[in-house]
Each structure stands twice: as structure tokens, then as C-alpha cells.
Amino acid sequence: MAWSPDKTEVKSWNEWDTLRHVIVGRADDCHIPPEEPALDAKVPEDSDMRGQWGRRPQETIDRANELLDNFADQLRKRGVRVDRPVSIDHSQPVTTPDFHTDSQFGCMPPRDVLLTVGHEMLEATMSYRCRWFEYLNYRPLLKQYWEEDPNFRHEAAPKPRLTDADYHPDYLSEKIGDAKRLEWAAEKFFVTTEEEPLFDAADVLRFGKDLVVQHGFTTNLKGIEWLRRHFPDHRVHTVNFPGDPYPIHIDATFTPLRPGLILNNPQRRLPEDQRGMFEKNGWEIVDAAQPAHNTPPPLCYSSTWLSMNVLVLDPKTVCVEKSEVYQAEQMDKLGMEVVEVDLRDAYAFGGGLHCCTADVYRDGECEDYFP
Ligand code: DAV
């Protein structure tokens, strides 16, 4: 049955089929959280964010919200239904029997928390203490979908305990250096231990019957095994990108654009021994264009490679951040129509165009692209 804007239906099997319904995050009340093990491991050693925490400056929140609202309107004008989360009070501490942290993170970016696979939306375990309750920002929407769509499966992965046993203390040092970090990444020695299953939704890419999951800081092997058991009809593949000294989230590293074509970050190439399924099935993996910027914007966790954190609207159309001229040019050469979106001033809130969205509905069914 064709999609209708009057009827809520949750369904999305991949990253590229025609997008009909999406969640766009909000910058409301976003905080820079206090120090904690997994978060500190990701903040670059030379970052302006080291050693400070608290609510983000109001003018940056207002500016990011302006851009996110404009992006939502741009999508609506193209006929996409857009929903927005409802912000909780992120200044509230998180206290469980196992840990305490003095504030939360925000309701950006939804892609980190919500994994849509077919008719299911799964709340990820998360691996930062400050993000333990982040799903609450999306509960009003998930409740609505559950009430309106009788086929919608609302699932939540087991909440992790996040005691100190979840983190390798080696990563807590302030000065590790990129050489050491790269060595550790090559050995698959990340900040999270194998104490219990941990994953962020943004470490997962959906290719129909196949799920490709990055093992790194925010997703451990037990998290990937948990996904494998939870989705028994899927093939779940573990990937690594050893060129990344701060490996969190796959979506500034490996970006499928349409069946047969993936952009790969040239500093974080997929190792030869993990390319088999793509090569055997004639998929092309091409180096992404260089970012247009040499540094991320102020108070930003992410690298300049948010340039390739694009949102595919359909297999011929892609949203690219407006200042990322090299990435836009490459998309054009690859035969994609580019929709420019101004978002750079919202990057500090947790990411780019893919990050700040979560799929609710895309056309298409679950296909086997790697038979
Ligand atoms: O390159 O810093 C950012 C991914 C955000 N979801 C990076 C990864």
C-alpha cells in the first residue's frame, strides 16, 4: 500500500529509499555534560570543550533551533512529514543505584538513540551516563506511533548499568595522543569494555536484510551480539575503521547513497578483509570528498567529516550541508541531485544532517542486496 500523510505507519529498511516521514531533533536545553569516562574518551584532546560543562549558551541554542526548524520546513515543503521531540529538562542529574552524573545531554541527535528496522523502533542502550534517559525526549512520539499504527513495534534494549566496569581506565588520561589512539583502535581496544551489551543506534547502518555495525567507543561486541539475537531475520556484520582515533558512530565514516554505492571516509577506509560482501555483489566504495572546513565549529564533539553526514531523500536526491561545497560537487558527479541545507551552526549539538534525523517511514521493502 502506498504511503499516505493521513495515516501513521512506521517502516524503514534502509538508508536510501524514498523518505516520507522523519523525526528532526531539537536543540532545546542542550547541555555540555560533566566529565564521565565514555564521553571524555571522545572529546578531542585539543578541544575547547575540555574541562567545562553546563547548559549551552542560549544564543547558540536559539541559532541551532532556527536551523533545525528551517530544515524541518524544507523537508515539509518536499512533502515529507516531520515530527519533533519534546525536550525534557536536561539540567536534571541522572542517578541510578549504580552511578550518578550531574546533568544530561539533550534531544539531539535522534539518530544516536532510535534505530528503525522495518516496523520497529528500538531505543539503544547508549553508553554515556548523561544519555541514559535520552529516550524520554522521544517517548511522546513513540507513544503516538504505537497508538496510531497497529503494526508498530516499540522496543527498548536492556538499560545498561554503566558502572566503572564498563570503561577501560586507560582512556581516562587527558593526554593519550593520536599515535597511541590509532594503535589502540587497530587492536580494537576501545574505551568501553565487554562488561555488558552497549550500543548507540548511530553505529548501525541498514541495508535491507543486512545490518552493518561499527565496533568502537560507543558500541561493543556484546552490543553487536545483542543486535544479532534481537534481529534473527537479519545478517549482522561487524566493521572497524582503524584510521579513526575517536571511533564513535558510523555516519561520518561510511555513507550508503543508493544500492551499489557507498561513500567512505578516506582517513577511515574499510579494511580489505571486511570488503568481501560489497565486492562480491558489485557495490562500489568510493572515497568521500574532503570537508570544506579545517576545524569543527566551537564546542563541537564531532570531526570535520560531518561533511559526509548526509541525509538521502531518495536514491537520486541527497541533502548536503550548504557550506560543504566539495561534498556537494562530488554528489553531483555521482548523479545525485543536491538539496542544500544550512546546518553548520547546529553541528555542536551532536552532528549533521543524518545525525539530527531519525527515519519513521521510507518506501520499499526488506531486500537482500548481498545474496
Ligand atoms: O567524525 O566525529 C561524528 C558522528 C556523529 N554522529 C566524527 C563522528
Side-chain angles (χ1 to χ4, degrees), residues 42 109 111-112 202 244 246-253 265 268 301-306 309 350-352 355:
K42 165 64 184 166
R111 189 73 64 176
D112 295 2
D244 187 358
Y246 297 90
I248 78 156
H249 303 164
I250 195 167
D251 55 356
T253 298
N265 185 319
R268 309 174 186 168
Y301 293 99
S302 306
S303 74
T304 53
W305 289 100
L306 288 181
N309 187 263
C355 299

Side-chain angles (χ1 to χ4, degrees), residues 4-69:
S4 146
D6 307 321
K7 185 169 162 266
T8 300
E9 190 180 342
V10 175
K11 177 178 71 95
S12 176
W13 293 103
N14 59 48
E15 309 287 333
W16 54 78
D17 270 334
T18 302
L19 182 71
R20 305 285 186 183
H21 186 180
V22 74
I23 297 171
V24 172
R26 283 189 195 277
D28 299 20
D29 199 44
C30 279
H31 278 62
I32 297 174
E35 290 186 1
E36 60 163 293
L39 179 71
D40 288 6
K42 165 64 184 166
V43 181
E45 290 176 22
D46 55 0
S47 169
D48 54 353
M49 304 177 79
R50 290 252 164 193
Q52 61 166 310
W53 66 278
R55 195 173 193 272
R56 286 180 177 266
Q58 188 61 43
E59 63 276 14
T60 66
I61 291 179
D62 292 344
R63 172 67 178 149
N65 268 335
E66 182 190 335
L67 296 179
L68 290 163
D69 290 351

Side-chain angles (χ1 to χ4, degrees), residues 23-32 54-70 72 83-91 104-110 134 137-138 343-351 356:
I23 297 171
V24 172
R26 283 189 195 277
D28 299 20
D29 199 44
C30 279
H31 278 62
I32 297 174
R55 195 173 193 272
R56 286 180 177 266
Q58 188 61 43
E59 63 276 14
T60 66
I61 291 179
D62 292 344
R63 172 67 178 149
N65 268 335
E66 182 190 335
L67 296 179
L68 290 163
D69 290 351
N70 289 346
D83 289 334
R84 312 296 300 279
V86 179
S87 178
I88 58 170
D89 174 1
H90 301 115
S91 72
Q104 303 185 44
F105 189 91
C107 54
M108 262 288 281
E134 203 163 304
N137 295 285
Y138 304 100
L343 200 79
R344 187 166 157 88
D345 291 345
Y347 277 7
F349 291 77
C356 80

Side-chain angles (χ1 to χ4, degrees), residues 10 18 21 26 35 77 91-92 118 129 133 198 212 219 223 236 256 275 291 309 312 316 319 356 362:
V10 175
T18 302
H21 186 180
R26 283 189 195 277
E35 290 186 1
K77 285 200 186 101
S91 72
Q92 291 185 90
R129 292 168 178 167
F133 280 121
L198 298 176
V212 172
T219 294
V236 176
R275 289 175 177 248
N309 187 263
V312 177
K316 292 193 167 91
C319 296
C356 80
R362 286 183 190 263

